[in-house]
Amino acid sequence: MEASGIHEGSYPVQFGWCGLDLEPSAILVKPEPEWTPSLFDPNAYEMHGISYDAAHTLGEDAEVVAHKLNAALRGTAVVTDNQYWDGLWTARLADSTGVPILFGYNDSTNMASTFRDIYDPWCLDRRGSLFEAVDRFYPHTHRADEDALRMATRTRMLIDRDWSEWLLARPAQQPVARRPFRLR
């Protein structure tokens, strides 16, 4: 998830999610009337490249976003790298739209216990190299869909030996330079 900033009154501007199929999805949120430009921290744009104007012009109505999120994620526990802020911004979406959120969050630090029974021992033995490969090929970009993909790869690398072998065998490549947000 990306937001207008990390401060009181900040609000969501982009939600992203990705399953273990590694097919990410994202949705840009049009700010609600009370989500004003004055609450949009300029440093947020520096982080994720999404401006208030881009969210306002290209984003979908917040109520539509809430319904789409529920349709895609209903009954799941979404893995997050910051349960506090992601939960706060999701609650802000629910409060602003009146649409109850039908999914929850599981902090990524709890994943070891969540998936312990299905981890592949071969993958666990190589987790240091696997984390390095994920960092190389799936960098933390502060784009909701790309960061959701990164979170999914960090789970899949420990349960899918074939995929992990492929990941470790991939030749190194130069990271792609980030571009400003554009509608894809």
Side-chain angles (χ1 to χ4, degrees), residues 120-133 157-158 161 164-165 168:
D120 183 296
W122 184 92
C123 298
L124 281 177
D125 289 344
R126 291 157 181 82
R127 68 181 167 264
S129 298
L130 289 165
F131 275 113
E132 289 173 10
M157 72 178 204
L158 295 174
R161 180 177 177 169
S164 295
E165 287 176 343
L168 291 174

Side-chain angles (χ1 to χ4, degrees), residues 89-135:
W89 294 317
T90 304
R92 184 145 296 133
L93 178 73
D95 292 344
S96 292
T97 62
V99 177
I101 298 302
L102 304 176
F103 59 92
Y105 287 107
N106 188 353
D107 195 286
S108 60
T109 59
N110 298 329
M111 296 315 294
S113 60
T114 302
F115 288 104
R116 173 183 32 233
D117 294 339
I118 61 171
Y119 279 162
D120 183 296
W122 184 92
C123 298
L124 281 177
D125 289 344
R126 291 157 181 82
R127 68 181 167 264
S129 298
L130 289 165
F131 275 113
E132 289 173 10
V134 166
D135 288 345

Side-chain angles (χ1 to χ4, degrees), residues 16 35 42 48 54 57 68 77 88 96 134 138 147 158:
W35 300 351
H48 52 58
T57 303
K68 285 185 175 184
L88 180 120
S96 292
V134 166
Y138 303 95
D147 290 349
L158 295 174

Side-chain angles (χ1 to χ4, degrees), residues 6-163:
I6 300 178
H7 55 81
E8 193 63 37
S10 59
Y11 50 87
V13 295
Q14 186 184 41
F15 285 90
W17 62 96
C18 184
L20 295 178
D21 61 359
L22 306 184
E23 295 290 333
S25 297
I27 189 166
L28 200 60
V29 186
K30 181 177 184 172
E32 290 283 275
E34 67 271 19
W35 300 351
T36 63
S38 65
L39 295 172
F40 200 99
D41 183 342
N43 292 321
Y45 174 78
E46 295 300 320
M47 294 276 291
H48 52 58
I50 303 169
S51 68
Y52 177 88
D53 290 338
H56 192 270
T57 303
L58 303 172
E60 295 194 45
D61 289 336
E63 185 174 345
V64 171
V65 170
H67 285 295
K68 285 185 175 184
L69 289 171
N70 282 336
L73 304 171
R74 180 185 193 121
T76 65
V78 177
V79 177
T80 176
D81 58 0
N82 194 316
Q83 190 170 1
Y84 173 80
W85 285 106
D86 288 351
L88 180 120
W89 294 317
T90 304
R92 184 145 296 133
L93 178 73
D95 292 344
S96 292
T97 62
V99 177
I101 298 302
L102 304 176
F103 59 92
Y105 287 107
N106 188 353
D107 195 286
S108 60
T109 59
N110 298 329
M111 296 315 294
S113 60
T114 302
F115 288 104
R116 173 183 32 233
D117 294 339
I118 61 171
Y119 279 162
D120 183 296
W122 184 92
C123 298
L124 281 177
D125 289 344
R126 291 157 181 82
R127 68 181 167 264
S129 298
L130 289 165
F131 275 113
E132 289 173 10
V134 166
D135 288 345
R136 189 170 51 252
F137 296 113
Y138 303 95
H140 188 190
T141 63
H142 293 285
R143 292 288 172 78
D145 53 344
E146 294 169 355
D147 290 349
L149 173 62
R150 176 183 167 81
M151 295 293 290
T153 63
R154 292 181 78 149
T155 301
R156 186 166 176 180
M157 72 178 204
L158 295 174
I159 61 176
D160 184 343
R161 180 177 177 169
D162 290 339
W163 186 81

